[in-house]
Amino acid sequence: MALLYRADIRPTKLELIDSWLPTRSWYQGPAEPGVHRVAACRFDDPDGAVGVETILVQAGDGPLLHVPLTYRGAPLPGGEPWLVGTTEHSVLGKRWVYDATGDPVYLQALATAILTGGGEAEEFVDVDGRQEKRAPAMSLRGGGTPGTAIPVVGAIEQTTDADPTRIVTTTVELTVHRVLGSAGGGALVLSGTWGGGSPSVLAQAALR
């Protein structure tokens, strides 16, 4: 499950995304995007240390953009190229926010979801020490088979800052689609559904 908190966050996640998007080679739009959130959901970190969130945003009437993020309580070793920024969380303190395509916790969660036919984590909000369940704003579904053995996602050997973003590790190759609507299909994909619309392919996986 994913445990969330009612907290003040400064700067907000959307403010960080707004500053970061214009620095990406795959982004096309105004220098100040002014994005709004369309939908989001979480993956589970089995160790409970890293927040893993899939966020869909849009600037004006532009295309939907897929921005997966991870949230950490300390810097990710070697993660500087993927750092989106830092934020102050009123409950958890300082958080380092990363483009999740460079974070091994996200890569492991993504590969697992795709290859085993998994989906998003259940979300619970901490309210005065009580955990209240809430429905995610989007649903994820992998195209793989339950029970498939998933190797440990190894070190990143190659990656591209492009649409799609391709990440090659020692055990798996992952493709993350950034601008939604142009993604290809296939068997081993992660599809997202939100707002009652048709599924859209967010990512793909292949074992090496």
Side-chain angles (χ1 to χ4, degrees):
M1 72 174 191
L3 180 59
L4 313 176
Y5 297 90
R6 290 182 175 174
D8 292 324
I9 302 175
R10 295 288 182 271
T12 67
K13 288 179 282 188
L14 288 182
E15 288 170 340
L16 287 180
I17 292 171
D18 244 16
S19 298
W20 177 76
L21 275 178
T23 71
R24 302 298 93 194
S25 65
W26 46 266
Y27 172 71
Q28 296 182 7
E32 297 182 5
V35 298
H36 66 274
R37 193 185 87 154
V38 175
C41 63
R42 297 271 181 153
F43 280 129
D44 177 44
D45 171 18
D47 293 331
V50 180
V52 184
E53 186 170 20
T54 291
I55 306 177
L56 305 183
V57 299
Q58 188 174 24
D61 59 357
L64 287 177
L65 303 176
H66 177 207
V67 184
L69 298 176
T70 57
Y71 313 113
R72 289 174 167 266
L76 170 65
E80 291 83 2
W82 295 278
L83 182 66
V84 176
T86 60
T87 191
E88 289 293 334
H89 190 288
S90 62
V91 176
L92 300 176
K94 187 172 183 178
R95 306 289 281 171
W96 281 258
V97 181
Y98 290 93
D99 170 10
T101 63
D103 193 316
V105 172
Y106 170 74
L107 299 180
Q108 189 72 52
L110 181 62
T112 300
I114 294 174
L115 297 172
T116 67
E120 75 282 359
E122 289 187 313
E123 295 183 6
F124 291 84
V125 179
D126 183 275
V127 180
D128 298 327
R130 303 187 316 275
Q131 294 181 7
E132 296 184 358
K133 187 175 180 178
R134 76 172 188 183
M138 65 183 297
S139 176
L140 303 178
R141 189 59 51 209
T145 304
T148 299
I150 307 301
V152 173
V153 173
I156 295 175
E157 295 182 343
Q158 181 182 351
T159 187
T160 59
D161 178 26
D163 178 39
T165 297
R166 180 169 169 263
I167 308 105
V168 179
T169 78
T170 54
T171 59
V172 68
E173 181 176 326
L174 295 160
T175 302
V176 176
H177 297 282
R178 299 296 200 165
V179 182
L180 299 189
S182 60
L188 294 180
V189 303
L190 182 75
S191 297
T193 307
W194 60 95
S198 300
S200 180
V201 174
L202 304 183
Q204 297 165 250
L207 292 174
R208 298 187 68 193

